[in-house]
Amino acid sequence: MIPAVEATGHAAAGVAAVGLGPSIAASVLQVVAVLFGGPLLVGLMAKVRARAEGRIGAPIRQPLLDVRKLMTKERVHAEHASVVLSIAPFVVVASAAVAVAIAPLVATVPALHHGADLFVVVSLLLMGSVALALAGLDPGTAFGGMGSSRAMAIGALAEPALLVAVLALSIQAGTSNLPAIVSATLAHPAWVASPQRLLALVALVVVVLAETGRIPVDNPSTHLELTMIHEAMVLEYAGPELALVTLGEAMRLGLLFSLVANLFFPWGIATTASVPRLLLGLAVLGAKTAAIAVAVSLLEIQTAKLRLFRVPELLAGGFVLAVLAVITGLVTR
Amino acid sequence: MTVALFLGALGLGLAGSLAGATLPARRRVFAAAALSSMACVVAFVGAGEVLLSGRSGAFSSSEILPLTGVNLLLDPLGALFVATTAVVGLAASCYSVGYAGNSLRSRSAAGLLPLFLTTLLLVPAAASVATFMVAWELMALTSLMLLLVEHRHRAEAREAAQWYAAMTHVGAAAILVGLVLLVGHRGGESFADIAANAGKLSPATRSLGFVLVLLGCASKAGAVPLHVWLPRAHPEAPSPVSALMSGAMVNLGIYGIIRVGDDLLGGGELWWWLVVLGLGAASAFFGALSAAASTDLKRLLAYSTIDNLGLVLIGVGAAGALAATGHHRLAALAMLAALFHLVNHSAFKGCLFLAAGAVERATGIRDLDRLGGLVHRLPATTALFGLGALSISALPPFNGFASEWLLIQSLLHGFASRSPATVVALLGGVAALALTGGLTAAAFVKALGIGFLGQPRSPAAASAHEVAPSMVAGMALLAVPCVLLGVAPGLAMAILHRATESGLGTSSPGSLHHGLGLDLAGLDGAIEPVLLVAALLSALGLAWGVVRIVARRGARSAAAWGCGRESQTSRMEYTATSFAEPLQRVFADVLRPDHDLDVTHVAESRYVIRAMSYSGQVDDVIERSWYRPVIGLVKAWGSVARRAQNGSVHRYLAYSFAALVVILVVLA
Amino acid sequence: MITSSIVRRLLALRSLVARPVTEQRPRPTGPPHVVRFPGSVQLRHVDVGSCNGCEIEIASAFGPHYDASRFGARLVASPRHADGVLVTGVVTRNMAGPLRRTLDAVPRPFAVVACGDCAINGGIFAGAYGVECDLEQIAKADVAIPGCPPDPTAITEALRGLTGR
């Protein structure tokens, strides 16, 4: 229910007031967890695919090994590029890290939780996408431009679905403050099965597939430049910059999976910043995101990549579902 | 004190105009710019005083205008618009010193620019119908003449001026008729009298009056479908004038709607504001989509103005609808969000237009398909354009993000309204807002990435030089509020509160805390951009430090990887047209691009082709499908009427006699 | 119709729980190579003029039976992402320039892997009219995989030498 305008304080079941130290500790734990856990999720998805193909496949920690090796290589800069190409990897990682730090992943009380708005997280993700798109255009190559064009077109269609799905959740909880939405869902377990949540979940899954560049939107392991969307923007990066971009993308994937897990199934998240609760929250988060990663990988195995000009139809479907979620929420209020 | 400051500002503006028209060529631009800058500063101080103290300043005199006199009242709502115009005007004046090429150096141009600025300062302070209309018409005429400054060099400028003249005068006529209807029989044409008598008019009269004023003001603000003059006029005007038009003149359309609807008519009916919301939603979507499909840099910015003003109209409509259904706190929040977005839009759009003008001055090109590589040749301009582009794409921590967040919050909490019509309209507004976010980002990545990054696509772009320091200073002046209001939006909240109260008439104390961030008291929602900036900078610093420590090998410069191809020229780069092609294809039903394929066969056989020529363009679909048929009808009617003019004096005398007889019969 | 598609999908997922068909980790047959990229090596394959026999063997080496990816090796699309250039075929006139540009684009340190007899010494095409030069004259091969075409086991063993797994 939307609270009366005159009410003061947080609308939902209270987000506990926590000191600065513990909340910063919770944030740091989240960043470290996603920094290492994101690549592990990517490795897990690759492992599931390999097993489905009947082979052993690379170990789950392979992406971390790749990043470690890339740090020892030299940096190569394209001749006609500007400072944008050099700065973009740092912007991708920094925006992903800040989004992870303020979102309620392990605990509902990370640092800055008063200002941890869902739209802030969405905009930080957009910041990373824009930085990468500009970096694709900077060297002046054909593939970079192609990647940027496709990524921005798909982003332009995924953003509306994301915003409206987020709005559906915000209307139900009465606020768009992320920790408050999670706390409210914990306090009202029946919300999880409500029709607007389920519709918003489907819409968000479509958006997450588009934002993380998985099949059916994009093939993350393709070698054919004409089929690339995300890969084409990073063709110019070498060594440490490539490591940063890979890490940043893995952190975005970890963040999106964790948000889907915690917004729709928040049990297990720590509501205070005590050490045992945090560790439990971390373990539960790992289990939930691993389950989501396996589910996404199974979906990828079963589906073929969509032709580029059919992707907007998928995203439009997601948008319609998100609008339906909002309408359902308003009607059943 | 306020009155003295404001009148002083007007006087300085007129003096600047006089200086521009009379001084010799070498001095006139500088003198006019200096005087109009002083006028802007004085006006800003006066408006600031009104906003900070809450006291309005009034002035009236019955001598300046015959029959009606001049009636001025600067209340907080008007003062907000005056302050915004003053900042944009200061930047544009400073910029015009370096920009003045042959076209702006002429007596008429140098004299008209300060006059245009003065009328822009005058309109928000007008407090009677006559003063308002005189100021409005002067604003339209001066901008029209400034638009024609380059008509000798470009035919498009003439065409743009024709469209602009026709639409702005039809709009002004509509506003005049609407205001006259609201004055009614009882006389008293000052705004105070209209507000006092509004209750005595019949609802039909009130509605008709509002709708006419809405049509005129919405056309000025570029609301779809009355927007067709905007993408023609804003690109063709000289850049300081474009910045003033997009950053100050279109705001006055919103001002008119708020003044008449909320202030004079005291809120009005629900359906008025639902119409405003609908216009806003349509403008936002159409503007963003057309911007994403445009390949002309200034036309892209003009469509983006339509988009942002659409968002402001969504906020104004939501505020009016919520107020009409009794949710006054939420209405104040929506109005605050709309005004905040208006102020932010003036800042970043002004900066963007001045930067586009700098590019045009340095390269002579407006077409994105022929620009590129300007980041190396024009670093300051690129940086300032980039800042404006990031602000308009609503990325934290810039001001576009703060105002869009506030707008989304006001719509989100507005869903609490019990009126189903309001809720449906808010849903449409939210959908339009969501759609524009991604499209705007795509449009500005295109503008920045294709126009400024990469390799130059034409010799003119390859040999550009950085522009004069006064131009860079003008752009930088507008970039400051982009950063300041983004990092600390709470600073502007007290001022916006006053303006909202003065506009809506409801006092809503403390619905926003006055810290550095934004905090909706009573509703759950807050952002802290300062802390966000601190976190981002520390994350950037940490990442950079880690890379410095861990990555020991150096860096090397090499050719860009192009699959081992021998030559990597600028012909192989993506152009703006190709960048926009996926979006254009998705929205082909809305944009209806024009394709033309011309195939020439060899004489001997139809199966062998000698040559093919393809041309495609995206023009304004509303202009093509709605306006051209109307223009065709008007022309047809004109040619029918011409048959009555056959040059015979006897027939004309017969017409006069018949008219006289008819009048006598009617009067009898 | 629906049940048959569900059954098909379930059958496809059967391999997830079944034993993988990959062969056992083979015992190394020669002396250990110098491990340059512990745990992870990415290779950019360049065909400078081969008959595609080596390509089929390379595809087989990354396939389910030999599965070189379990040792940390991977093929990548851009030389900027690569640690090694996997060269197959004899250096023809038209591909000499692109090969040089590819080698220039790879970030140091990197390894050149000459796969097949053609890359090592020209093989059966040595001295033909389309051949520009030996690979030695453009880049010294760090790892050589002899054979026409080389066995996928040999290819896998060479990659294991690079990653040390």
Side-chain angles (χ1 to χ4, degrees):
Chain A
M1 296 294 129
I2 311 281
V5 177
E6 314 302 327
T8 54
H10 292 283
V15 178
V18 163
L20 191 60
S23 66
I24 289 190
S27 283
V28 169
L29 179 63
Q30 280 180 187
V31 174
V32 170
V34 175
L35 187 68
F36 288 99
L40 286 177
L41 286 173
V42 175
L44 177 63
M45 287 198 277
K47 187 71 150 176
V48 170
R49 171 173 276 271
R51 279 305 169 103
E53 288 173 10
R55 44 184 187 97
I56 296 179
I60 295 183
R61 67 185 194 286
Q62 184 66 36
L64 287 172
L65 295 173
D66 292 343
V67 167
R68 185 182 71 176
K69 181 229 30 192
L70 280 172
M71 285 293 193
T72 64
K73 306 267 298 187
E74 76 170 343
R75 264 172 286 181
V76 183
H77 291 154
E79 278 173 330
H80 299 285
S82 68
V83 69
V84 171
L85 192 64
S86 320
I87 291 185
F90 293 97
V91 173
V92 172
V93 171
S95 62
V98 171
V100 166
I102 65 176
L105 305 182
V106 172
T108 53
V109 290
L112 239 85
H113 63 85
H114 188 53
D117 201 271
L118 203 39
F119 297 104
V120 171
V121 170
V122 169
S123 302
L124 284 170
L125 289 173
L126 182 64
M127 190 195 273
S129 308
V130 166
L132 216 50
L134 287 173
L137 284 168
D138 200 21
T141 56
F143 292 137
M146 188 186 76
S148 299
S149 160
R150 292 173 171 190
M152 290 311 295
I154 289 183
L157 299 165
E159 278 289 309
L162 181 60
L163 281 174
V164 178
V166 154
L167 194 78
L169 295 173
S170 308
I171 291 178
Q172 190 179 37
T175 170
S176 63
N177 181 279
L178 263 173
I181 297 180
V182 174
S183 306
T185 316
L186 280 172
H188 300 95
W191 282 1
V192 167
S194 59
Q196 72 227 55
R197 282 263 162 157
L198 295 172
L199 286 169
L201 173 63
V202 178
L204 266 181
V205 164
V206 170
V207 169
V208 164
L209 288 175
E211 291 276 328
T212 54
R214 315 297 306 184
I215 293 174
V217 175
D218 183 14
N219 185 353
S221 56
T222 182
H223 291 186
L224 303 172
E225 283 87 350
L226 288 179
T227 61
M228 289 178 181
I229 298 177
H230 166 69
E231 270 294 306
M233 291 190 284
V234 302
L235 286 176
E236 269 318 298
Y237 281 125
E241 287 162 349
L242 182 63
L244 283 176
V245 171
T246 315
L247 266 180
E249 285 295 318
M251 286 177 80
R252 285 161 63 110
L253 186 136
L255 171 69
L256 285 168
F257 282 9
S258 310
L259 276 179
V260 169
N262 283 344
L263 285 173
F264 296 96
F265 202 80
W267 292 281
I269 197 171
T271 43
T272 59
S274 64
V275 172
R277 291 300 298 272
L278 282 179
L279 290 177
L280 176 68
L282 184 63
V284 170
L285 182 71
K288 283 191 273 190
T289 48
I292 293 180
V294 170
V296 168
S297 197
L298 289 177
L299 175 67
E300 286 193 304
I301 292 165
Q302 302 273 342
T303 326
K305 186 176 98 78
L306 280 176
R307 211 193 131 197
L308 179 69
F309 296 121
R310 307 273 291 195
V311 173
E313 294 174 16
L314 177 70
L315 293 170
F319 180 69
V320 166
L321 283 175
V323 170
L324 276 176
V326 171
I327 294 177
T328 318
L330 291 171
V331 163
T332 60
R333 190 162 49 152
Chain B
M1 182 61 185
T2 312
V3 176
L5 283 172
F6 188 71
L7 290 176
L10 294 179
L12 280 169
L14 288 172
S17 172
L18 205 61
T22 52
L23 288 180
R26 271 189 324 133
R27 274 179 249 216
R28 66 171 77 118
V29 173
F30 186 76
L35 284 167
S36 51
S37 305
M38 278 194 280
C40 289
V41 171
V42 171
F44 186 75
V45 172
E49 204 190 306
V50 172
L51 284 168
L52 290 173
S53 68
R55 282 192 310 273
S56 316
F59 168 79
S60 63
S61 141
S62 45
E63 280 108 27
I64 302 181
L65 275 184
L67 286 183
T68 53
V70 160
N71 205 335
L72 298 178
L73 174 70
L74 196 60
D75 64 352
L77 180 67
L80 182 70
F81 286 86
V82 169
T84 314
T85 306
V87 174
V88 179
L90 180 60
S93 309
C94 179
Y95 180 93
S96 66
V97 172
Y99 181 85
N102 295 328
S103 51
L104 276 190
R105 222 178 264 283
S106 64
R107 272 186 211 281
S108 42
L112 281 170
L113 189 54
L115 191 60
F116 180 41
L117 192 54
T118 314
T119 56
L120 284 172
L121 291 171
L122 189 55
V123 170
S128 73
V129 175
T131 323
F132 186 83
M133 289 312 303
V134 166
W136 192 271
E137 270 299 307
L138 270 178
M139 177 178 79
L141 283 173
T142 47
S143 54
L144 179 64
M145 286 193 273
L146 281 167
L147 190 52
L148 281 170
V149 156
E150 291 181 5
H151 76 276
R152 275 186 233 279
H153 307 290
R154 286 205 301 267
E156 298 94 20
R158 283 198 291 275
E159 232 183 273
Q162 283 172 332
W163 279 91
Y164 181 49
M167 293 198 70
T168 199
H169 285 300
V170 170
I175 296 177
L176 180 60
V177 173
L179 286 174
V180 162
L181 273 176
L182 292 176
V183 167
H185 292 299
R186 280 156 239 279
E189 54 112 24
S190 79
F191 282 177
D193 291 336
I194 296 180
N197 290 334
K200 302 185 197 125
L201 295 169
S202 71
T205 318
R206 275 209 302 270
S207 296
L208 187 59
F210 179 75
V211 166
L212 285 169
V213 170
L214 176 66
L215 282 177
C217 288
S219 171
K220 180 65 74 180
V224 162
L226 302 163
H227 69 284
V228 289
W229 62 274
L230 222 156
R232 284 175 175 274
H234 285 217
E236 296 302 331
S239 290
V241 178
S242 295
L244 277 173
M245 284 169 93
S246 253
M249 196 175 77
V250 294
N251 296 356
L252 298 176
I254 308 285
Y255 169 77
I257 297 174
I258 299 179
R259 175 67 73 193
V260 172
D262 289 306
D263 191 25
L264 297 186
L265 295 176
E269 322 256 338
L270 178 62
W271 67 266
W272 297 358
W273 303 107
L274 298 181
V275 168
V276 171
L277 222 162
L279 282 177
S283 311
F285 175 60
F286 186 76
L289 186 57
S290 303
S294 281
T295 57
D296 179 317
L297 182 56
K298 287 178 96 172
R299 203 173 151 96
L300 190 152
L301 294 176
Y303 274 118
S304 168
T305 300
I306 297 176
D307 163 26
N308 280 286
L309 272 278
L311 292 178
V312 174
L313 277 174
I314 289 177
V316 168
L322 288 167
T325 50
H327 302 273
H328 292 284
R329 292 274 300 262
L330 291 175
L333 183 61
M335 180 65 81
L336 197 114
L339 289 175
F340 190 33
H341 194 70
L342 200 64
V343 170
N344 288 338
H345 172 255
S346 303
F348 52 63
K349 191 47 67 64
C351 180
L352 285 168
F353 260 110
L354 293 181
V359 168
E360 199 183 352
R361 171 65 66 213
T363 60
I365 303 175
R366 258 172 30 206
D367 188 3
L368 282 171
D369 286 344
R370 291 191 292 140
L371 289 171
L374 296 177
V375 62
H376 304 291
R377 314 288 315 185
L378 308 170
T381 311
T382 308
L384 291 165
F385 187 91
L387 210 131
L390 293 175
S391 307
I392 202 171
S393 311
L395 291 177
F398 299 109
N399 59 354
F401 171 69
S403 60
E404 278 212 25
W405 180 83
L406 204 53
L407 199 57
I408 294 179
Q409 290 297 311
S410 66
L411 293 179
L412 162 64
H413 292 285
F415 278 112
S417 161
R418 294 282 157 190
S419 144
T422 314
V423 165
V424 168
L426 283 177
L427 189 61
V430 153
L433 208 153
L435 281 166
T436 67
L439 287 171
T440 309
F444 280 91
V445 165
K446 177 179 68 174
L448 186 58
I450 305 262
F452 293 84
L453 302 178
Q455 295 182 56
R457 293 177 182 80
S458 66
S463 56
H465 294 287
E466 185 60 87
V467 294
S470 60
M471 292 167 79
V472 176
M475 293 186 255
L477 180 66
L478 285 174
V480 167
C482 289
V483 177
L484 195 63
L485 289 177
V487 170
L491 292 175
M493 285 301 121
I495 296 175
L496 288 168
H497 251 309
R498 285 260 159 68
T500 312
E501 274 176 69
S502 134
L504 273 184
T506 48
S507 91
S508 52
S511 72
L512 275 186
H513 284 162
H514 302 162
L516 280 183
L518 294 177
D519 190 346
L520 309 175
L523 309 166
D524 207 349
I527 53 170
E528 297 281 347
V530 181
L531 296 178
L532 212 58
V533 170
L536 275 170
L537 288 175
S538 42
L540 275 170
L542 198 63
W544 187 79
V546 164
V547 169
R548 280 295 287 233
I549 295 172
V550 171
R552 289 312 177 116
R553 273 182 211 272
R556 172 169 67 98
S557 173
W561 171 246
C563 256
R565 212 179 292 130
E566 210 170 272
S567 62
Q568 184 90 320
T569 64
S570 64
R571 289 266 311 176
M572 293 158 196
E573 281 184 284
Y574 247 52
T575 60
T577 317
S578 38
F579 193 95
E581 205 263 346
L583 277 172
Q584 198 179 298
R585 193 186 274 242
V586 170
F587 290 105
D589 287 332
V590 178
L591 287 173
R592 294 190 198 278
D594 220 357
H595 295 303
D596 207 13
L597 184 62
D598 215 358
V599 179
T600 323
H601 303 281
V602 161
E604 289 80 16
S605 160
R606 264 203 66 237
Y607 294 101
V608 181
I609 293 175
R610 186 206 301 278
M612 287 174 105
S613 127
Y614 169 83
S615 81
Q617 71 166 17
V618 183
D619 59 358
D620 196 306
V621 60
I622 293 184
E623 184 187 306
R624 191 174 2 121
S625 34
W626 294 12
Y627 281 75
R628 290 203 187 276
V630 169
I631 294 176
L633 271 173
V634 169
K635 279 191 188 161
W637 181 44
S639 25
V640 164
R642 192 176 294 197
R643 282 198 236 125
Q645 275 182 308
N646 64 347
S648 152
V649 178
H650 305 289
R651 190 177 285 210
Y652 295 164
L653 284 174
Y655 288 156
S656 317
F657 181 66
L660 199 56
V661 166
V662 166
I663 291 176
L664 286 174
V665 165
V666 165
L667 282 179
Chain C
M1 285 286 281
I2 297 178
T3 47
S4 77
S5 79
I6 292 177
V7 166
R8 251 187 300 127
R9 286 179 192 279
L10 287 175
L11 285 174
L13 294 178
R14 206 181 37 176
S15 55
L16 274 171
V17 296
R19 269 186 56 173
V21 302
T22 314
E23 64 173 10
Q24 292 280 15
R25 203 176 273 250
R27 229 167 298 227
T29 53
H33 303 271
V34 175
V35 173
R36 293 165 167 263
F37 309 103
S40 150
V41 71
Q42 272 94 61
L43 297 163
R44 211 303 183 176
H45 166 249
V46 182
D47 171 357
V48 280
S50 98
C51 68
N52 278 350
C54 295
E55 276 77 3
I56 295 175
E57 301 303 319
I58 292 173
S60 198
F62 283 97
H65 188 260
Y66 297 97
D67 197 15
S69 68
R70 62 189 152 135
F71 306 120
R74 205 174 76 212
L75 291 173
V76 287
S78 168
R80 295 253 200 270
H81 301 181
D83 311 307
V85 182
L86 184 64
V87 184
T88 54
V90 65
V91 181
T92 51
R93 218 166 286 145
N94 285 348
M95 282 300 287
L99 179 62
R100 286 198 179 89
R101 269 170 240 125
T102 308
L103 292 169
D104 184 52
V106 181
R108 298 357 181 198
F110 72 99
V112 176
V113 181
C115 179
D117 285 341
C118 290
I120 294 174
N121 54 23
I124 57 175
F125 298 116
Y129 68 91
V131 176
E132 167 91 3
C133 60
D134 260 345
L135 184 61
E136 290 290 312
Q137 282 154 14
I138 297 185
K140 183 180 167 315
D142 299 288
V143 179
I145 313 175
C148 183
D151 207 59
T153 319
I155 298 176
T156 319
E157 197 185 308
L159 297 180
R160 286 183 72 191
L162 285 174
T163 62
R165 307 249 307 272

